[in-house]
Amino acid sequence: MTELRWLDRPGEEGTTWGVPWPRGTVARDAPFALADDAGREVPVQSWVTATWPDGSVKWSAHAIGAQRDVARAYRLEPGREPAASGTAVTVARERGGLVVSTGVVTWELGGGTVARSISRGSREIARNVRLVSLRQGEPTPDEGGAVVREQGEGVVESVTVEQDGPLRAVVRLEGRHGDWLPFTVRLYFHAGAEQVRIMHTFVYDGDPERDFLAGLGLRADVVMHDPLHDRHVRLAGAEGFLTEAVRGLTGLRRDPGEHVRRAQVEGRPAGEIAPDVASRLHLIPAWNDYTLDQSSADGYTLRKRTAEGHAWVTIPSGTRSGGYGYVGGVSGGLGFGLRDFWRLHPTRLDVRNAATGLATATVWLWSPSAPAMDLRFYHDGMGQDTFAEQLEGLEITYEDYEPGFGDAHGVARTHELTLRACDATPSAADLAAHAAAMNEPGLLRVSPERIRQAGVFGVWGLPDRSTPARALIEDRLDFLFDLYVREREQRRWYGFWDYGDVMHTYDPDRHTWRYDVGGYAWDNSELSPDLWLWLQYLRTGRADVFRFAEAMTRHTGEVDVYHLGRWKGLGSRHNVQHWGCSCKQLRISNAAYRRFHHYLTADERTGDLMDELSTPEETFLAIDPTRKVREDVYTPDPAGLSVGLGTDWGSLAAAWLTRWERHGDERARDRLLGTMADIGAMPRRFLTGEGRLNLETGRFDTSRDQISVSHLSSLFGLPEMCAELIALDLGVPGFEEAWLEYCRLYLATPEQQEAEVGRRLSGISLIQAHSRLTAYAAARTGDAGMAAWAWRKFRLGEGDQLNRNPLQHQEKWELTLVDGPEVPSPVREAPFVSTNSAAQYGLAAICNLALIAEHLAED
């Protein structure tokens, strides 16, 4: 039996979550039952998302319907049948499409739109739910001026029912906006819920030189029945809501009656209006249109007008809108919104035609008020036309430039929206709850102790403050995470394409991050901050860590990766623009970075990202990752693809393992096990550095005899993946020995290296990050001397292996206030921290504490 608690806020409208199970404890066909903390049975829908090699359940996913009396905790029990549900989701093929009912609301799907109709009971609330877009053939002029915009609507080309109840139904819609912008929309229905969650993903497949997206949104027509004074518009501000009636009865020269005024503000029927006001209702303006425009993370504007052709009237503006709205009347209407609305600016909420019989509500993912989306590369190349010139550029700005490679064609973005069919205008308290549920969806979770007991995700340990030395490390882990939360806010790491990522390196001279310096700007998963954050969440169970890691997964898995085109399946290295670097590699699209989110939430879109890597080895046909520094003659050849045994094979292994455990893919299993055996059979094993992979057989040439060591090999998930594979005890001869050899020798003394392999290893750096390899070897072999050596390397290193991570040479970690004419506004900085140094420290500290804490000094 497993206890579940809410991550932060409860999910009244239904929720979905994942649970890990120790190997061999739950059969694949086992049922699951759920009870709340009072012992009451709660209906639950369950399915398997991953299995262990023996076929038992590794991860299960579960869903419950809307809960009007939400419990604080639940208990999940395998092997017992779930309680029957009184209210169920139904999916039926009717009227030339699908009809999905939650028992409260009914959606009719079909006709090429997102939804034909949304009803609650016998009342139609909304119709013709559709995607809309605007495109222009040139960028928005700096000085303004007319630009022709082409209006488009998304056309749904295929409909797939992924789940059909009884408590959760998922429908996937796929289509295009005319001749471009392929999209995937998922609709999530929970039994008893009035809200439907919408996951929208689009892929940019235009030409950045001539295809400028000027608007992208979701629009619905809302049926309006009530008198104008009983129609209401609500738009979320920074804290409360703009509270308006289409025809207002407050503030008039004549008093309609206190009960009328109060009722209108509260969203209830106005009732009997005083005669001297009732006879003059036609003289009170009806406000037809409303717009809330969030142009930045720091401000939104509000305006309304009576009709097209008349001036807009400005409404007092604010800072950060909650991104939720409502249009309708006392007999019902539509709630609509976008999660992380202000963080994903420029965004907009529109209400149009509220004074007519059919209003429209639009949630703009890219506001038409903003300049058109400009995805062109940010400089002209500066004459870097040859590899030699490009390597010179790398030496000065750290940017790996190549003509034509800074291309956004194929990158994607995912947004989460909500539509809620209401039977009356919601109260202020209900509106606040609806907005909160959209922005922080309820998620049930198991404890860190329970996740660790299941044995998933390799090597990590729980927080340990049992000695001053251990407490200091825990304090520093907290310091680094809190710093990034602070930096995201202080530096405004927000925006449509940017939110979720962090910067690579700090510029202490300008007191800012190097946002405009080549390869030092956006991090794009460099040195695996994704892993650091997810492992820190597993250890602590902190909701703020989860939300930060979730936003990073949404970003790095979509924006930093190509989903179609010549580099499909590859990601881009760190750059001023997320797609700007010519280094396109599997280490960035790495499935190891996505598995956490998918298994903890059962999120289908994150599953899509991993499914895009079903045959990851084929990406090596597209491009040679080391083409600019290669000394031998090589052209990608299916009979012998050049694959690095560090960042490359670690990413392949993550994709193959994930494919095997999620789908039972025997091809992926065979390639994983085969290449593990091949590495063990190579004369120099992992020290070989690079293997030649036969694409047809999925096996390495084991005759390759060389030594080539890279400081990056173990910094993109390879140690975590190898530890997980070894723990699976897959019976692959030679693999563990090969990995332990690499772990022992990387930070061994030059004399020991020479004694074992006949030469001293070159290219040794990032000492602190690699200390976890030494720690792993010490833990597996029980070598106390090696454990002590690992801690020395983690702390300061010595000789040629000095730990140069600036964090470890900063005795006191603290923020410094910078306030003066050299900065636009006061900032608190820690200039000794970069994402690289933080990820190195975080991963090494978590691993070392888990493996060899008993060897940590007590002082």
Side-chain angles (χ1 to χ4, degrees):
M1 187 175 295
T2 295
E3 184 178 74
L4 307 163
R5 291 187 177 274
W6 295 105
L7 176 68
D8 38 29
R9 63 174 314 282
E12 293 92 345
E13 288 288 295
T15 191
T16 304
W17 72 97
V19 176
W21 301 95
R23 188 173 185 167
T25 60
V26 178
R28 183 173 176 80
D29 59 354
F32 292 87
L34 187 71
D36 66 17
D37 51 3
R40 296 170 296 192
E41 294 289 309
V42 178
V44 63
Q45 178 178 325
S46 304
W47 62 101
V48 176
T49 53
T51 57
W52 292 98
D54 64 1
S56 62
V57 176
K58 186 176 186 180
W59 283 91
S60 60
H62 309 273
I64 55 177
Q67 305 289 303
R68 301 308 172 212
D69 184 16
V70 181
R72 291 182 300 175
Y74 297 85
R75 293 188 301 277
L76 183 70
E77 182 179 352
R80 191 163 64 84
E81 293 295 331
S85 174
T87 302
V89 172
T90 59
V91 181
R93 297 192 178 275
E94 300 177 9
R95 298 188 283 279
L98 289 178
V99 177
V100 185
S101 173
T102 69
V104 176
V105 300
T106 301
W107 283 49
E108 291 188 18
L109 312 180
T113 63
V114 173
R116 283 194 301 230
S117 177
I118 303 174
S119 301
R120 181 162 180 156
S122 60
R123 161 85 190 272
E124 184 183 31
I125 299 294
R127 61 178 70 146
N128 193 19
V129 182
R130 60 216 184 261
L131 296 171
V132 293
S133 62
L134 297 169
R135 174 166 61 173
Q136 58 191 55
E138 57 183 305
T140 304
D142 291 340
E143 304 301 325
V147 177
V148 176
R149 287 185 167 181
E150 172 190 341
Q151 298 187 32
E153 287 193 5
V155 176
V156 174
E157 299 168 346
S158 68
V159 179
T160 304
V161 178
E162 295 184 324
Q163 286 192 330
D164 59 0
L167 298 173
R168 179 188 195 248
V170 183
V171 180
R172 186 179 77 242
L173 314 175
E174 295 174 291
R176 298 176 65 85
H177 286 260
D179 63 349
W180 78 319
L181 296 187
F183 64 81
T184 300
V185 169
R186 279 188 172 89
L187 306 176
Y188 291 90
F189 303 88
H190 284 263
E194 62 180 14
Q195 167 192 286
V196 172
R197 179 169 164 254
I198 302 171
M199 189 78 72
H200 171 275
T201 300
F202 86 101
V203 181
Y204 178 83
D205 65 341
D207 179 349
E209 297 295 328
R210 60 181 179 85
D211 294 315
F212 299 86
L213 186 61
L216 183 66
L218 178 74
R219 177 172 291 164
D221 296 334
V222 184
V223 181
M224 307 290 279
H225 293 291
D226 300 299
L228 296 182
H229 58 267
D230 277 341
R231 299 182 184 186
H232 306 117
V233 173
R234 305 287 189 261
L235 294 172
E239 296 179 0
F241 277 76
L242 175 73
T243 302
E244 300 259 322
V246 171
R247 172 171 281 154
L249 298 179
T250 65
L252 301 174
R253 188 174 186 182
R254 304 297 181 197
D255 186 5
E258 183 182 358
H259 67 285
V260 172
R261 290 183 277 109
R262 183 180 300 112
Q264 189 176 68
V265 170
E266 294 175 356
R268 297 181 287 104
E272 185 176 353
I273 301 171
D276 56 347
V277 174
S279 63
R280 298 182 175 94
L281 286 178
H282 63 289
L283 299 175
I284 303 173
W287 298 98
N288 198 53
D289 303 334
Y290 290 78
T291 285
L292 187 154
D293 210 334
Q294 184 83 49
S295 59
S296 76
D298 293 311
Y300 64 82
T301 57
L302 277 164
R303 60 185 186 273
K304 66 180 182 179
R305 67 182 180 186
T306 57
E308 188 175 357
H310 296 276
W312 288 95
V313 174
T314 300
I315 304 171
S317 59
T319 53
R320 294 172 169 176
S321 167
Y324 189 76
Y326 169 85
V327 60
V330 295
S331 63
L334 187 70
F336 53 93
L338 171 66
R339 185 183 181 188
D340 292 322
F341 181 78
W342 62 265
R343 296 179 179 91
L344 291 167
H345 67 82
T347 48
R348 195 167 103 176
L349 299 179
D350 281 350
V351 172
R352 298 289 184 268
N353 300 318
T356 71
L358 199 64
T360 64
T362 307
V363 181
W364 290 102
L365 314 180
W366 184 276
S367 170
S369 308
M373 191 183 291
D374 191 345
L375 305 185
R376 295 173 296 176
F377 192 64
Y378 77 101
H379 67 68
D380 65 4
M382 298 176 288
Q384 299 177 71
D385 298 324
T386 67
F387 285 175
E389 291 166 332
Q390 292 156 26
L391 291 173
E392 282 296 299
L394 188 69
E395 288 297 315
I396 188 66
T397 66
Y398 203 30
E399 179 172 73
D400 190 355
Y401 172 80
E402 192 168 339
F405 276 62
D407 189 357
H409 182 97
V411 303
R413 196 47 155 150
T414 290
H415 293 79
E416 299 179 48
L417 304 97
T418 186
L419 293 180
R420 184 185 290 260
C422 302
D423 59 1
T425 299
S427 68
D430 286 342
L431 284 166
H434 296 170
M438 176 187 72
N439 282 304
E440 292 185 346
L443 178 68
L444 285 168
R445 63 168 183 87
V446 298
S447 68
E449 293 81 3
R450 174 63 178 75
I451 298 176
R452 189 166 186 270
Q453 182 257 339
V456 294
F457 295 134
V459 175
W460 54 278
L462 301 171
D464 181 357
R465 298 180 180 275
S466 59
T467 70
R470 298 177 195 183
L472 176 63
I473 292 176
E474 296 292 353
D475 289 343
R476 288 184 165 186
L477 285 169
D478 290 343
F479 175 94
L480 289 174
F481 173 72
D482 294 342
L483 172 70
Y484 274 88
V485 173
R486 185 181 296 105
E487 287 299 294
R488 180 172 66 182
E489 171 61 17
Q490 183 169 251
R491 312 294 178 170
R492 301 300 193 264
W493 291 341
Y494 302 118
F496 185 98
W497 290 112
D498 299 334
Y499 176 59
D501 206 354
V502 296
M503 283 280 169
H504 185 288
T505 303
Y506 198 72
D507 183 346
D509 296 312
R510 290 188 292 170
H511 305 290
T512 189
W513 293 78
R514 302 182 198 179
Y515 67 92
D516 57 349
V517 183
Y520 290 117
W522 292 113
D523 189 70
N524 286 33
S525 296
E526 182 70 4
L527 301 199
S528 305
D530 316 61
L531 291 180
W532 160 45
L533 291 169
W534 279 118
L535 290 173
Q536 186 68 349
Y537 167 71
L538 295 183
R539 303 177 72 239
T540 65
R542 285 175 54 177
D544 55 350
V545 178
F546 178 92
R547 298 299 185 191
F548 201 103
E550 179 185 37
M552 180 171 285
T553 297
R554 284 276 183 239
H555 170 91
T556 59
E558 304 280 7
V559 180
D560 299 344
V561 174
Y562 290 96
H563 307 271
L564 52 77
R566 56 179 169 163
W567 298 311
K568 180 180 179 181
L570 297 173
S572 297
R573 173 182 171 271
H574 39 102
N575 192 263
V576 171
Q577 292 172 298
H578 298 286
W579 46 84
C581 186
S582 71
C583 180
K584 312 295 185 186
Q585 290 194 355
L586 202 62
R587 76 189 201 195
I588 297 108
S589 56
N590 200 337
Y593 300 154
R594 324 289 173 227
R595 298 166 75 225
F596 301 90
H597 184 251
H598 176 70
Y599 290 140
L600 291 166
T601 67
D603 178 74
E604 281 82 1
R605 176 56 191 168
T606 312
D608 290 347
L609 299 178
M610 296 187 293
D611 285 342
E612 289 177 1
L613 298 172
S614 60
T615 54
E617 62 275 19
E618 294 178 1
T619 62
F620 290 89
L621 287 170
I623 192 171
D624 174 18
T626 59
R627 63 196 179 280
K628 296 184 184 181
V629 296
R630 183 177 291 281
E631 297 179 355
D632 59 347
V633 177
Y634 169 77
T635 301
D637 179 357
L641 290 171
S642 174
V643 174
L645 301 185
T647 61
D648 293 340
W649 185 81
S651 302
L652 287 172
W656 288 329
L657 174 62
T658 305
R659 186 81 186 167
W660 177 20
E661 64 187 10
R662 290 184 65 220
H663 301 297
D665 189 326
E666 295 182 357
R667 179 183 181 278
R669 177 202 63 194
D670 292 347
R671 293 187 174 228
L672 173 64
L673 300 183
T675 54
M676 289 171 66
D678 293 339
I679 292 171
M682 290 178 182
R684 302 295 186 172
R685 294 165 289 278
F686 272 101
L687 293 173
T688 309
E690 181 185 77
R692 292 298 168 92
L693 181 74
N694 185 298
L695 192 59
E696 181 179 354
T697 65
R699 301 298 295 267
F700 281 124
D701 174 4
T702 60
S703 67
R704 195 172 181 85
D705 188 356
Q706 66 173 37
I707 292 179
S708 177
V709 176
S710 168
H711 64 289
L712 293 179
S713 293
S714 295
L715 299 178
F716 291 84
L718 180 67
E720 290 75 16
M721 190 50 52
C722 287
E724 189 167 349
L725 292 171
I726 290 169
L728 287 174
D729 193 18
L730 298 170
V732 179
F735 181 78
E736 181 174 4
E737 292 79 3
W739 179 238
L740 289 179
E741 176 189 57
Y742 188 86
C743 292
R744 283 190 302 102
L745 291 179
Y746 188 92
L747 292 184
T749 65
E751 294 75 18
Q752 183 182 350
Q753 293 169 352
E754 190 168 4
E756 294 206 29
V757 299
R759 53 173 279 191
R760 299 183 178 194
L761 301 181
S762 59
I764 304 298
S765 65
L766 302 178
I767 305 304
Q768 186 171 68
H770 285 88
S771 68
R772 71 192 199 275
L773 275 63
T774 311
Y776 181 79
R780 293 295 292 184
T781 61
D783 189 325
M786 194 184 305
W789 183 255
W791 277 118
R792 287 166 63 182
K793 296 299 183 181
F794 173 78
R795 286 167 168 161
L796 292 176
E798 56 194 46
D800 293 337
Q801 294 182 359
L802 183 66
N803 180 356
R804 300 187 186 281
N805 189 340
L807 292 176
Q808 207 62 14
H809 295 271
Q810 189 80 15
E811 182 176 350
K812 190 173 185 180
W813 292 15
E814 61 184 0
L815 300 176
T816 302
L817 177 65
V818 179
D819 185 5
E822 69 271 27
V823 291
S825 58
V827 296
R828 293 188 178 275
E829 66 176 9
F832 53 93
V833 178
S834 71
T835 300
N836 282 0
S837 63
Q840 286 181 64
Y841 182 90
L843 289 172
I846 289 169
C847 183
N848 290 1
L849 278 171
L851 290 170
I852 53 172
E854 66 271 19
H855 298 284
L856 180 59
E858 298 299 314
D859 54 11

